[in-house]
Amino acid sequence: MIEFLIQFAFYLLAWLLLSVLLSWLSAFIYPLIASSLERFAPAKSALFTFVLGFMAPLSALFSTLILTHPEMAFPIVSDHCHGDACSPHSLHVSVDSIIGSGSIAFALATITLLSLGMIWQLRENLRLKRLLNMLSSAERGGYRIVEDAKPLARCVGLLKPKVFVSTGLMAASAVQQQKVIIARQLAKAASFENLRYWLLKWATVAWPKPIKLAIRQDFLRHSASDCDLQAYRALGKDINQQGFLETLRQLYQQQGQSLDQTGCPQRLNRLEQNLSIETALVANSGLLSFALLATSLLYIYAAVFVGHPLVEALAR
């Protein structure tokens, strides 16, 4: 049993180490392709951004699973022996050395801290959702009304997001503004933006700070543009395009934010250009999807090739 736990701990170390190395590689790649994502429809841009951010830990997971099966890993791993044993084998680990035992302790401590941080955030999110549920009245049109004098419209929750709108917002906003605000929040809930952003934040935790802030902001911007589009479509005949764009401008001005800070000009331009973007998407998104798939396969191959000798070196 103890031997199994030691082996399991080293596979956790392998996953953690490979996740960090692949995260640095993703952080190097992202600035090179970030500008090209602007050419696609917002939903695709948000998806591709999320996939690239999540590629490192997911590829590291597949690589670690391959390392647990020597017959699959050894066609990739360089030939080597442990004494007279040269046949395919699982990771050769030992806790007799300070480096080996220290590596186990480091892996377990890091993964424990990450897990506790994720659990704490999940707990706080659930607590806020329960509180807003208690303060709100019955659901109306897919959202709930909260008795609060402050203007509030918020999508809360990860797996089962809900939209909450305050009575203060309903009283302070014109009917057209209310429709746009609520439609955007409902679109945010339908696209699971909260869950995807939460996963992206944890997936990029090992990225260099400037680049991980950039990819997170880019994801939110792409997702917000998609929510704008979905809200416009949901409103249908209730609002025309020019009226929708003008309402968005007014909303940001009322919130005391400059148009540049919110990225509103780019988002409004993308909304106006969406039909032409979707037409080009048929030819372009397939190529980018293939590139991301090929990159993930290269990640897995490289991680298995490097991971086996690297983790065994730490285990000596």
Side-chain angles (χ1 to χ4, degrees), residues 71-274:
E71 67 281 0
M72 295 175 60
F74 264 69
I76 303 174
V77 176
S78 298
D79 293 337
H80 65 285
C81 301
H82 294 281
D84 296 331
C86 300
S87 59
H89 57 271
S90 58
L91 292 176
H92 187 77
V93 300
S94 171
V95 292
D96 295 335
S97 67
I98 295 177
I99 294 178
S101 57
S103 298
I104 287 183
F106 174 78
L108 293 178
T110 301
I111 292 174
T112 299
L113 288 175
L114 290 173
S115 300
L116 289 175
M118 296 175 74
I119 291 171
W120 181 83
Q121 286 191 353
L122 288 171
R123 181 176 174 274
E124 289 299 302
N125 189 276
L126 184 60
R127 186 185 65 83
L128 175 61
K129 186 177 177 181
R130 286 176 175 171
L131 177 62
L132 290 174
N133 267 325
M134 292 173 56
L135 297 175
S136 62
S137 59
E139 189 168 314
R140 180 199 303 177
Y143 61 93
R144 298 178 68 88
I145 301 295
V146 178
E147 295 292 335
D148 193 333
K150 296 180 180 179
L152 168 71
R154 188 170 179 182
C155 175
V156 178
L158 298 177
L159 296 177
K160 295 182 178 179
K162 286 187 178 180
V163 174
F164 297 90
V165 180
S166 70
T167 52
L169 178 71
M170 304 296 284
S173 305
V175 174
Q176 181 166 283
Q177 289 182 335
Q178 293 176 21
K179 290 181 179 179
V180 172
I181 293 171
I182 293 172
R184 288 196 70 259
Q185 293 298 321
L186 291 175
K188 184 176 180 178
S191 65
F192 291 93
E193 181 187 280
N194 292 347
L195 176 62
R196 291 192 295 164
Y197 181 65
W198 182 76
L199 290 172
L200 181 65
K201 284 182 66 176
W202 283 104
T204 57
V205 69
W207 287 36
K209 186 174 181 179
I211 306 178
K212 70 182 176 185
L213 292 179
I215 192 174
R216 293 170 186 176
Q217 289 301 316
D218 286 348
F219 170 80
L220 288 177
R221 181 167 52 82
H222 295 317
S223 183
S225 294
D226 182 48
C227 289
D228 291 342
L229 176 61
Q230 297 306 321
Y232 175 69
R233 289 175 173 169
L235 291 173
K237 296 180 180 179
D238 290 344
I239 193 170
N240 57 46
Q241 180 174 322
Q242 192 57 41
F244 182 75
L245 298 175
E246 185 58 35
T247 300
L248 284 181
R249 289 190 183 94
Q250 293 174 3
L251 289 173
Y252 282 106
Q253 290 171 351
Q254 289 176 2
Q255 292 169 2
Q257 298 171 315
S258 71
L259 296 182
D260 290 336
Q261 286 177 324
T262 60
C264 192
Q266 296 89 335
R267 285 168 50 186
L268 297 178
N269 289 336
R270 290 189 80 176
L271 181 60
E272 292 178 300
Q273 299 168 1
N274 182 72

Side-chain angles (χ1 to χ4, degrees), residues 10-75:
F10 263 96
Y11 281 115
L12 285 180
L13 173 63
W15 173 80
L16 180 64
L17 187 60
L18 294 175
S19 293
V20 172
L21 294 176
L22 294 177
S23 290
W24 291 345
L25 183 57
S26 293
F28 173 78
I29 292 173
Y30 180 71
L32 303 178
I33 69 167
S35 59
S36 65
L37 296 177
E38 302 293 337
R39 297 186 292 110
F40 303 111
K44 291 292 184 181
S45 299
L47 176 61
F48 290 143
T49 304
F50 174 79
V51 169
L52 183 61
F54 209 71
M55 189 181 294
L58 191 59
S59 297
L61 175 61
F62 281 114
S63 302
T64 305
L65 291 175
I66 292 174
L67 288 172
T68 64
H69 296 79
E71 67 281 0
M72 295 175 60
F74 264 69

